[in-house]
Amino acid sequence: MFVQQLEPVADSLALSALVASLPLVTVLVLLGAVRMKAHRAGLIGLAVAVVVGALAFGMPLGQTLSAGAQGVLFGLFPIMWIVVNALWVYRMTVRTQHFDILRRSFGRVSDDPRIQALVIAFCFGALLEALAGFGAPVAICSVMLVALGFDPVKAAVVSLVANTAPVAFGAMGTPVVTLAQVTGLPLDDVATVVGRQTPLLALVVPLILVFLVDGRRGLRETWLPALVCGVAFAVAQFAASNFVSAQLADIAAALVGAGALIALPGARRPAAEPVRAAVLTGARSEDLDKEDPRREVVRAYAPYALIIVVFSLAQIPPVKELLARATQVFDWPFLDVAGPDGEPVGANTFTLPLLGTGGTLVLLAGLVTAVVLGVRAGTAAREWAATVHELRYAILTVTSVLALAYVMNLSGQAATIGQFVAAAGAGLAFLSPVLGWFGVAVSGSDTSANALFGALQVSAARESGLSPELLAAANSSGGVLGKMISPQNLTIACAAVGLAGREGDLLRKVLPWSLGLLLVMCLVVMAQSTAVLGWMLP
């Protein structure tokens, strides 16, 4: 048995923490300063973590490699299994042109560009984040807004800022699932706390969006629809994450938010011509005026309805129990690790949920979607293979980062850093979201940031007497605000609207919003760690 040591380097906690941080520093420097591709930075960081774990922390090389292999498997299944199948469903709607029908349907909701920004960038963007994530909402929503006549820069900025509130529960809950796995905390406990933090962002973001679209006039004239949309989104996200399913949180929030917005009489009122002339400075796509048969419109919405139905059915107790029976639990080979207290760690065993995992449920919904949209079996299979090919670098990035995280966690590197960071004491609650924000800013992924820093947050929380669930959730909630400034997302936005090379311009426009909202989240988490807002926690 390998027993983790907290001070293996010269019996010094500070030196041990410095050495333990080398894998993280390596990844962050390669991403942020060298601007290396994320998958290469992840692989190099993994190699550094293995060397540090084996040489500095004394973990046997065989166990170190085994820990990394467990991280790779978890990255493939269930994490990327969810993402691949979700993006596959989207690709089928594009292939059958039902996505264009959906875009035209949104364009007919209102001719007010400020309302269109809420419907497309905030609500539909959240739905895309729920189903795919990994940059898809920014790319797709930017293109849709440009087609409606938005200036490309404004379309990109609006889409980037909108892609905040849903990120923690994106890709069918992938970030919080990862967070629960690397921290050893129950998924429901983590999702419950995140669901009491990110909805607060949903109250503010729609107001920011109408301001970005039309300045003070937009805020003055459309504050009510923005507030109604934000409140409905926040309530639904809170309710779903706390009482239904983390995987359904964003889907429920997106649909309820859009429904509340559309149901508001003033939201569908035609916009004044001066407003349209001032805001819509680009060329409007001619195909927006095309009338689509009602049957095809229903089919365009069907994939999203099917996912909701499948996940809802999976939450029914008898069905949930049946799916759980297919879960395989086994001892992970060549791994026998105990924590500093001498107790075996949970990662010595591995849980493989074959049917109950989100990816399998999305796959089932996708198979039914193929039938509903009239996609032949061979075509659906080719689209699935093309999805895997499209995500090949994302798959490599996620698996390498999770392998790095598992090596750091199981060798004791994360625990050592956590104990050292815990010296911040009460200030740790304020700084906790900043760590997640920084992780997402450089990696472009809340999932990756949770894998990198989740265990560290929990370890530091336990050392300082704070709630582990609170700081773990703060890592994810703070991380969502780094999404809009991550080089990956900026590049995706620029490429989508034809602004290649102007990432710096977008960064200057979104950075103040990212920092301002991060400060709000830091204050919220700090207040939740005290009696001021402690009542918000379960």
Side-chain angles (χ1 to χ4, degrees):
M1 176 179 284
F2 166 69
V3 180
Q4 297 173 353
Q5 302 296 316
L6 293 177
E7 301 177 2
V9 181
D11 292 324
S12 167
L13 181 62
L15 285 176
S16 299
L18 183 65
V19 173
S21 67
L22 287 176
L24 295 178
V25 171
T26 299
V27 173
L28 298 180
V29 168
L30 291 177
L31 285 171
V34 182
R35 299 196 174 186
M36 183 178 287
K37 295 289 186 183
H39 62 280
R40 292 176 182 166
L43 289 171
I44 293 173
L46 171 60
V48 174
V50 169
V51 171
V52 171
L55 298 184
F57 281 75
M59 190 177 195
L61 183 59
Q63 295 213 47
T64 307
L65 296 176
S66 179
Q70 187 176 145
V72 169
L73 178 57
F74 181 70
L76 292 173
F77 191 97
I79 299 304
M80 292 310 297
W81 178 239
I82 298 171
V83 177
V84 166
N85 289 322
L87 197 57
W88 171 58
V89 173
Y90 162 72
R91 285 181 63 101
M92 286 195 291
T93 67
V94 172
R95 185 177 182 89
T96 59
Q97 298 185 335
H98 283 91
F99 182 76
D100 292 330
I101 296 173
L102 197 66
R103 176 168 58 87
R104 288 192 287 270
S105 175
F106 288 151
R108 285 189 285 270
V109 169
S110 171
D111 72 345
D112 189 325
R114 299 163 300 190
I115 303 300
Q116 290 172 342
L118 293 175
V119 172
I120 293 173
F122 188 67
C123 296
F124 186 59
L127 188 60
L128 290 173
E129 183 67 38
L131 300 179
F134 290 86
V138 170
I140 295 164
C141 293
S142 297
V143 170
M144 290 176 75
L145 291 175
V146 169
L148 290 170
F150 276 66
D151 170 73
V153 172
K154 187 169 288 187
V157 170
V158 166
S159 298
L160 284 165
V161 174
N163 190 221
T164 50
V167 168
F169 295 104
M172 308 310 296
T174 297
V176 290
V177 170
T178 303
L179 186 60
Q181 181 72 16
V182 300
T183 59
L185 299 173
L187 173 59
D188 289 344
D189 291 356
V190 173
T192 295
V193 180
V194 174
R196 297 173 190 227
Q197 293 173 344
T198 56
L200 299 176
L201 297 175
L203 298 175
V204 180
V205 170
L207 296 169
I208 295 175
L209 295 181
V210 296
F211 177 80
L212 287 171
V213 172
D214 195 27
R216 293 181 180 177
R217 177 179 59 184
L219 194 57
R220 185 175 64 252
E221 295 180 0
T222 54
W223 67 268
L224 182 59
L227 189 60
V228 167
C229 178
V231 169
F233 186 103
V235 170
Q237 190 182 58
F238 161 74
S241 60
N242 276 259
F243 307 114
V244 184
S245 163
Q247 286 91 343
L248 286 177
D250 279 350
I251 294 177
L255 295 177
V256 172
L261 182 61
I262 294 170
L264 192 68
R268 307 198 68 168
R269 192 177 300 131
E273 192 54 40
V275 172
R276 291 179 52 76
V279 176
L280 301 180
T281 56
R284 184 174 180 273
S285 178
E286 295 180 0
D287 76 333
L288 289 173
D289 298 322
K290 180 181 177 181
E291 288 292 331
D292 297 301
R294 184 181 296 271
R295 180 171 178 270
E296 294 306 313
V297 174
V298 171
R299 291 174 73 190
Y301 282 91
Y304 311 103
L306 285 168
I307 289 175
I308 295 169
V309 169
V310 169
F311 271 83
S312 299
L313 290 174
Q315 298 305 312
I316 298 174
V319 178
K320 194 172 185 177
E321 185 179 337
L322 183 65
L323 294 174
R325 289 179 188 169
T327 299
Q328 301 293 317
V329 180
F330 55 90
D331 292 331
W332 188 258
F334 311 112
L335 196 65
D336 189 12
V337 179
D341 57 359
E343 293 293 320
V345 299
N348 289 330
T349 59
F350 191 79
T351 302
L352 200 63
L354 298 175
L355 298 181
T357 186
T360 303
L361 297 178
V362 175
L363 176 64
L364 177 60
L367 294 173
V368 181
T369 293
V371 175
V372 171
L373 299 185
V375 180
R376 295 175 181 271
T379 302
R382 284 192 294 274
E383 285 295 330
W384 194 90
T387 303
V388 174
H389 183 264
E390 180 184 338
L391 290 172
R392 63 192 184 282
Y393 292 124
I395 292 171
L396 190 55
T397 299
V398 170
T399 52
S400 62
V401 167
L402 278 162
L404 180 156
Y406 269 63
V407 170
M408 288 190 66
N409 295 346
L410 291 172
S411 66
Q413 296 173 58
T416 295
I417 299 173
Q419 184 156 7
F420 181 74
V421 170
L428 184 61
F430 180 84
L431 296 174
S432 185
V434 178
L435 198 58
W437 174 85
F438 186 67
V440 176
V442 296
S443 71
S445 166
D446 201 34
T447 299
S448 296
N450 286 344
L452 288 171
F453 299 129
L456 188 158
Q457 297 266 22
V458 168
S459 177
R462 286 175 174 149
E463 291 296 327
S464 59
L466 294 169
S467 163
E469 291 81 6
L470 175 62
L471 294 204
N475 193 83
S476 194
S477 298
V480 306
L481 300 169
K483 189 89 168 178
M484 68 178 84
I485 64 167
S486 70
Q488 172 184 309
N489 251 25
L490 291 169
T491 301
I492 288 171
C494 285
V497 297
L499 296 174
R502 293 185 59 184
E503 288 85 356
D505 294 341
L506 291 187
L507 177 61
R508 283 189 291 274
K509 289 181 179 294
V510 300
L511 182 59
W513 298 108
S514 177
L515 293 174
L517 290 171
L518 175 63
L519 176 60
V520 171
M521 184 56 66
C522 289
L523 293 172
V524 167
V525 173
M526 185 174 70
Q528 287 180 333
S529 70
T530 68
V532 177
L533 290 181
W535 53 268
M536 290 182 65
L537 301 181

